[in-house]
Amino acid sequence: MNNLERKSMMMSPQVKLRARKALADLDDMRLQQLLETARRVERYAVGRSEQAVANALGKPLVFVTVMITFYKSAGLLETKRARAKFLRTYGKKKVRMLYNALDAIR
């Protein structure tokens, strides 16, 4: 190993702050898309069984169940501050996992 390979890259505090802000904005965007999808699924599910909704949408039953549960737990989050608070309490990893599942089903 040469000397350059051994040194770890040091980031300035400004770069770290910008990276954290970009990641927070990306998490907010993911949460907005999840909430919109969950809201649509929940609206469609009114008066119908979850299995009927899954068949009509062509999605797995697990997806429909999770989206309805997610919408009921999240509620209406209109402001960025409310979404950020929800992300802290619900968990960023869970939201990222749900978003990846949503993206894979599309």
Side-chain angles (χ1 to χ4, degrees):
M1 283 185 151
N2 63 24
N3 204 15
L4 292 175
E5 290 175 351
R6 277 187 254 160
K7 289 184 179 179
S8 64
M9 186 174 157
M10 297 297 291
M11 292 183 3
S12 70
Q14 292 173 342
V15 172
K16 287 181 184 180
L17 184 63
R18 276 189 254 142
R20 232 184 348 215
K21 183 172 176 2
L23 189 57
D25 288 342
L26 186 59
D27 284 334
D28 184 54
M29 185 254 338
R30 287 178 182 142
L31 181 58
Q32 284 178 331
Q33 288 183 355
L34 276 172
L35 286 171
E36 182 64 26
T37 303
R39 184 181 59 83
R40 288 179 180 170
V41 170
E42 202 274 332
R43 271 192 189 168
Y44 190 76
V46 173
R48 296 180 177 94
S49 69
E50 291 179 359
Q51 185 63 50
V53 173
N55 291 340
L57 296 176
K59 306 290 185 195
L61 179 61
V62 173
F63 171 77
V64 172
T65 305
V66 168
M67 285 292 112
I68 291 171
T69 306
F70 179 72
Y71 183 73
K72 288 179 181 177
S73 69
L76 190 60
L77 303 172
E78 293 186 6
T79 63
K80 189 171 184 173
R81 179 171 280 170
R83 289 189 299 270
K85 184 177 179 181
F86 178 77
L87 274 171
R88 282 192 302 271
T89 58
Y90 190 76
K92 293 175 187 175
K93 288 183 180 182
K94 288 181 183 179
V95 169
R96 290 174 187 163
M97 184 181 68
L98 280 174
Y99 183 79
N100 288 338
L102 173 66
D103 202 29
I105 289 176
R106 288 184 183 169

